[in-house]
Amino acid sequence: MARGNFGERLKREREVREVSMDELTKATRISTRFVEALENEDWAKLPGGIFGHGFVRTIARYLGLNEEALLGEYDMARAEHSAAAPPKKQEDRIPAPPKWLPVAAALVLLLLVLGLFYTGRYAWHRYAAYRASKKSAAASQPMPPQSGSGSAGTAELSAATGPLDLSLSTSAATRVRVFADNKLVLDAELPAGENRHFSAKDDFEVSAGDSSAVLLELNGRAMPPLGAPGASGRIVLSEKDLRR
């Protein structure tokens, strides 16, 4: 088949039936550029395989043409074009790496660096809070008794029945709420490295958004954590906790 016969025939059959390009594309739902590519035999703009065959069958059916005959002419025209086209160089078949690959690699590297930075910062804040709590405990620790066991027992009883002193330190930013004798004394977002002290007669109720970010000491004695690490928690402290 001579070059151009398939496309010319397709266009002639459409025009003979007085079917406009707009009508054909709306009826078949095939893009105008694909129909024009078929009529102009611009194979580079057309998909191959079943998609090209599907276009030809749909157009033939709408124009009332023999589908198999038109498909045969289409295949012959494409085969002649493929035989006449110069072979591609081997290097053209090697796909170039996608342009987004370097950007993605840089983004992953940046995320790793940020992760290492914030991990180190969090560890440092935890260590600083621990040191601050140890210093506070050493400063508030009473002098050892000079007398015998009777004086030691009297000192412990006095510490247990005296006013309660709560030392609160944060190793990371979190929201903390403190009640002293059922009275709200703190409800705020505390930054890392913050140290607060409170006094009460009977008990304290402490809650935090991040249990692992809060370190507590009652009368210089370290208290257990509020809850599981990374989760919110709540604890009530009283004189009983000093006798344990």
Side-chain angles (χ1 to χ4, degrees):
M1 175 181 292
R3 176 177 175 81
N5 287 0
F6 169 77
E8 291 177 0
R9 183 196 168 192
L10 184 62
K11 183 176 182 180
R12 183 172 59 252
E13 294 290 351
R14 176 176 63 79
E15 292 175 346
V16 166
R17 289 163 176 75
E18 297 182 352
V19 177
S20 65
M21 180 68 70
D22 185 61
E23 177 186 346
L24 181 61
T25 55
K26 288 182 179 179
T28 60
R29 295 185 179 180
I30 299 174
S31 173
T32 302
R33 65 188 183 94
F34 287 145
V35 177
E36 290 178 347
L38 284 171
E39 293 184 351
N40 297 326
E41 295 188 18
D42 191 355
W43 308 118
K45 296 182 180 179
L46 288 167
I50 59 174
F51 295 102
H53 284 187
F55 291 163
V56 174
R57 283 186 182 276
T58 303
I59 293 173
R61 191 177 303 119
Y62 184 76
L63 297 179
L65 301 175
N66 187 300
E67 297 179 20
E68 299 302 326
L70 193 61
L71 275 175
E73 295 180 17
Y74 166 79
D75 290 336
M76 188 180 299
R78 291 209 72 156
E80 290 177 358
H81 170 77
S82 299
K88 293 184 178 180
K89 296 181 181 180
Q90 185 69 24
E91 55 268 22
D92 292 342
R93 299 178 185 177
I94 302 176
K99 296 181 179 180
W100 52 263
L101 189 58
V103 178
L107 182 59
V108 170
L109 181 60
L110 178 60
L111 290 176
L112 288 175
V113 172
L114 289 176
L116 290 174
F117 171 78
Y118 283 109
T119 300
R121 183 181 179 185
Y122 175 77
W124 170 253
H125 284 315
R126 291 281 294 179
Y127 176 72
Y130 173 77
R131 289 191 61 184
S133 64
K134 293 294 288 183
K135 289 181 180 180
S136 176
S140 60
Q141 187 174 3
M143 294 295 293
Q146 300 297 326
S147 59
S149 59
S151 298
T154 303
E156 289 181 4
L157 181 61
S158 176
T161 58
L164 299 177
D165 180 70
L166 178 68
S167 175
L168 184 150
S169 304
T170 56
S171 60
T174 185
R175 186 164 193 87
V176 180
R177 179 177 293 179
V178 179
F179 288 87
D181 296 333
N182 296 322
K183 181 180 178 181
L184 181 64
V185 293
L186 175 67
D187 185 8
E189 183 80 17
L190 298 183
E194 186 78 2
N195 294 300
R196 298 290 183 92
H197 294 273
F198 307 95
S199 298
K201 181 180 179 182
D202 297 323
D203 58 34
F204 291 99
E205 179 182 344
V206 184
S207 59
D210 184 359
S211 299
S212 61
V214 177
L215 302 174
L216 300 175
E217 287 184 0
L218 186 62
N219 287 18
R221 186 175 300 179
M223 293 291 107
L226 279 69
S232 60
R234 173 183 170 275
I235 191 171
V236 177
L237 302 174
S238 63
E239 294 177 355
K240 296 180 181 178
D241 299 281
L242 296 174
R243 301 192 187 106
R244 295 176 183 174

